[in-house]
Amino acid sequence: SAPLNPLRTINEEIYSFAELKQKEIDELKKLEAFRREFIADVSHELKTPIFAAQGFVHTLLDGAVNDKTVRTKFLKKAAKSLDGLDMLVQDLLTLSHIETGQIKMHFENIDLYKLTEEIFEQFEEKADRKEIKLSIEGSPRKVLVYADWQRINQVMTNLVSNAIKHSFDGGEVKVSFDISKKNIVTNISDTGEGIAPEHQARIFERFYRVDKSRSREKGGTGLGLAIVKHILDGHNSKAEVESTPGKGSTFSFKLPRVKPLEGGETEASKN
Ligand code: ADP
């Protein structure tokens, strides 16, 4: 073979090194842009409830406090804004804890049927107010998967909460499980406004909402689905959405199945 040209080799080395550095720089620039955008987004989201509460409190101080009906009304509105602020900060903390890995996952055998029953109990009142029926469809009494109970509780809570929020009055929110050999797919479906195809891919982004003002009015932080995405990431899974505008949506995610053995033992807990 031809003798090596040392100069050429060195040149190639330099080029590939420069290329590598450029990639690193691009990556850092992207991170920096992301960070800046995130801070801008968060500041904007924080400002909204602060601005509202501030307005009510100042109007009270300017004299409205002397009128008893106005006073109660404005205090209630200020309280609602502050509750929203509290929820937002809580969701931001959850998201940041998951992202920085401060939350250790505790994997164990968990029963999704029981979890769903517990979550439905918590939402009974909210569902009743809209006359929405909550049901678990055609499922065995025990649906065992290997997952972090607390985190999957959060995933299901966010999805069920959204399903109720976006359902029409008199509608139905159903949870069902597709059980296959190795996995279990959980489906949460609603009979609500649905999500247009162009929005479906984006709703998992932080602060992305199809209808900003309506979402805020309904008490949303815009972080619910971003949290769902991150938690499922930690389970090597992801949420899928199928939706027909005007009819409803189904959100689904897959988790590894644990088969119950005779005597109530389970495969993963056996050893
Ligand atoms: P939010 O706090 O606004 O509910 P989420 O991250 O939970 O934030 O959801 C993002 C957006 O996705 C919502 O604002 C809404 O537009 C849309 N969305 C979520 N779940 C549903 C659903 N079940 N039906 C219709 N739209 C939904």
Side-chain angles (χ1 to χ4, degrees), residues 162-163 165-166 190 193-195 203 205 208-211 215 219-226 249 251:
N162 278 349
K165 243 197 276 183
H166 297 282
D190 65 65
E193 68 214 31
I195 305 154
I203 50 174
E205 294 169 19
Y208 188 87
R209 298 143 167 143
V210 175
D211 184 333
S215 159
T221 62
L223 291 174
L225 289 180
S249 315
F251 286 80

Side-chain angles (χ1 to χ4, degrees), residues 17-201:
F17 182 73
E19 216 174 286
L20 205 74
K21 281 289 152 206
Q22 190 55 48
K23 261 191 203 145
E24 272 174 36
I25 291 167
D26 289 349
E27 204 52 43
L28 279 175
K29 273 190 185 155
K30 233 193 271 167
L31 264 178
E32 178 58 19
F34 178 84
R35 197 188 61 86
R36 241 183 262 169
E37 198 187 308
F38 182 71
I39 290 174
D41 279 355
V42 170
S43 315
H44 177 80
E45 294 293 331
L46 289 171
K47 250 168 79 179
T48 307
I50 291 173
F51 187 68
Q54 209 176 22
F56 294 123
V57 172
H58 281 294
T59 313
L60 284 167
L61 286 175
D62 287 346
V65 72
N66 298 317
D67 181 327
K68 191 169 175 275
T69 29
V70 173
R71 184 169 64 214
T72 312
K73 194 171 132 196
F74 277 27
L75 279 174
K76 274 190 185 155
K77 286 188 185 236
K80 198 176 162 203
S81 295
L82 292 174
D83 288 346
L85 187 63
D86 183 46
M87 256 174 44
L88 177 60
V89 171
Q90 240 162 34
D91 275 359
L92 277 170
L93 280 176
T94 305
L95 205 56
S96 116
H97 283 163
I98 299 170
E99 274 179 349
T100 55
Q102 279 179 52
I103 291 181
K104 283 238 159 60
M105 296 275 194
H106 295 288
F107 287 93
E108 55 184 339
N109 297 337
I110 64 169
D111 180 3
L112 291 178
Y113 191 95
K114 194 169 151 222
L115 182 61
T116 307
E117 279 187 322
E118 286 179 20
I119 291 170
F120 276 177
E121 237 177 77
Q122 279 167 28
F123 282 103
E124 214 173 84
E125 218 177 57
K126 273 205 172 117
D128 275 354
R129 244 181 280 149
K130 291 178 78 176
E131 294 185 358
I132 290 167
K133 195 178 146 216
L134 304 176
S135 66
I136 305 179
E137 206 180 31
S139 152
R141 283 285 153 152
K142 221 171 194 173
V143 180
L144 291 177
V145 292
Y146 192 63
D148 180 318
W149 189 88
Q150 205 191 334
R151 300 290 131 213
I152 294 302
N153 187 3
Q154 175 129 45
V155 166
M156 295 276 291
T157 300
N158 289 3
L159 293 177
V160 169
S161 163
N162 278 349
I164 295 172
K165 243 197 276 183
H166 297 282
S167 256
F168 300 130
D169 285 7
E172 193 170 5
V173 170
K174 269 191 258 179
V175 170
S176 67
F177 305 102
D178 302 331
I179 302 174
S180 62
K181 218 169 164 189
K182 294 217 160 130
N183 297 300
I184 293 183
V185 176
T186 304
N187 311 292
I188 294 114
S189 68
D190 65 65
T191 50
E193 68 214 31
I195 305 154
E198 66 267 28
H199 295 297
Q200 285 176 20

